[in-house]
């Protein structure tokens, strides 16, 4: 699903998992498959791009687009927040569509865009651990 607001970060399909984490931590992140669309959207919105495609990365840099890549998840996430100049927040945005969340009850949030419901489940501690690891960077 597309973001309604302009993306700060664009991930290619290889970084689908990272895109979900970035949204979870409050980053307006778009997942885009086609190279031409990544290029167009990145130039239009001044977005940072995550891609392993070296040919695409070279083309993006020609247009002045910032590009990051890396297989190590935590250092990559730290690098993204450093480039954005801010710290991760949680809960941030809907991991499915990037929509904003509204707290509807203690420990419960709903996406304002797709209606997905979030709650403090078994994954919660793991997410906080990841958040701490990224913030330490
Ligand atoms: Zn949503």
């Amino acid at each position: 699903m597309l973001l309604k607001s302009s993306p700060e970060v664009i991930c290619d399909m290889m970084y689908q998992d990272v895109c979900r984490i970035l949204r979870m931590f409050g980053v307006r992140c778009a997942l885009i498959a086609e190279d031409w669309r990544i290029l167009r959207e990145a130039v239009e919105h001044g977005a940072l791009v995550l891609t392993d495609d070296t040919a695409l990365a070279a083309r993006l840099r020609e247009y002045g687009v910032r590009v990051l890549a890396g297989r190590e998840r935590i250092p990559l996430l730290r690098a993204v927040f450093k480039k954005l100049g801010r710290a991760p927040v949680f809960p941030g945005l809907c991991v499915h569509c990037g929509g904003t969340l509204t707290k509807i009850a203690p420990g419960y949030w709903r996406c304002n865009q797709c209606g997905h419901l979030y709650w403090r489940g078994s994954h919660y501690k793991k997410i906080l651990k990841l958040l701490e690891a990224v913030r330490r960077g």
Side-chain angles (χ1 to χ4, degrees):
M1 204 184 281
L2 276 177
L3 282 177
K4 279 188 177 171
S5 48
S6 60
E8 301 167 278
V9 176
I10 296 171
C11 289
D12 73 8
M13 298 312 278
M14 295 294 290
Y15 286 94
Q16 192 162 3
D17 58 325
V18 177
C19 185
R20 289 170 66 93
I21 295 168
L22 287 172
R23 285 174 176 175
M24 191 168 73
F25 289 165
V27 176
R28 295 194 311 277
C29 187
L31 187 67
I32 300 178
E34 305 87 357
D35 288 3
W36 66 270
R37 271 194 56 214
I38 292 174
L39 179 63
R40 195 187 68 187
E41 297 279 317
V43 170
E44 189 179 330
H45 301 292
L48 171 68
V49 175
L50 270 59
T51 181
D52 279 340
D53 184 332
T54 50
L56 174 61
R59 268 185 73 203
L60 287 164
R61 289 195 177 100
E62 278 175 31
Y63 284 86
V65 175
R66 299 162 301 163
V67 182
L68 279 176
R71 285 292 102 199
E72 297 274 342
R73 190 192 264 182
I74 290 171
L76 178 64
L77 290 168
R78 284 176 180 162
V80 169
F81 283 101
K82 199 173 174 191
K83 291 247 188 227
L84 293 178
R86 67 169 201 266
V89 293
F90 178 77
L93 301 170
C94 176
V95 299
H96 300 289
C97 74
T100 54
L101 303 179
T102 298
K103 194 172 191 173
I104 53 169
Y108 286 84
W109 298 265
R110 181 179 281 136
C111 174
N112 296 313
Q113 193 167 295
C114 75
H116 191 88
L117 188 66
Y118 294 88
W119 64 91
R120 286 188 188 189
S122 54
H123 55 284
Y124 195 71
K125 276 186 182 165
K126 259 169 75 177
I127 293 168
L128 291 184
K129 258 182 94 173
L130 179 63
L131 180 67
E132 274 310 300
V134 176
R135 277 183 177 160
R136 269 199 306 269

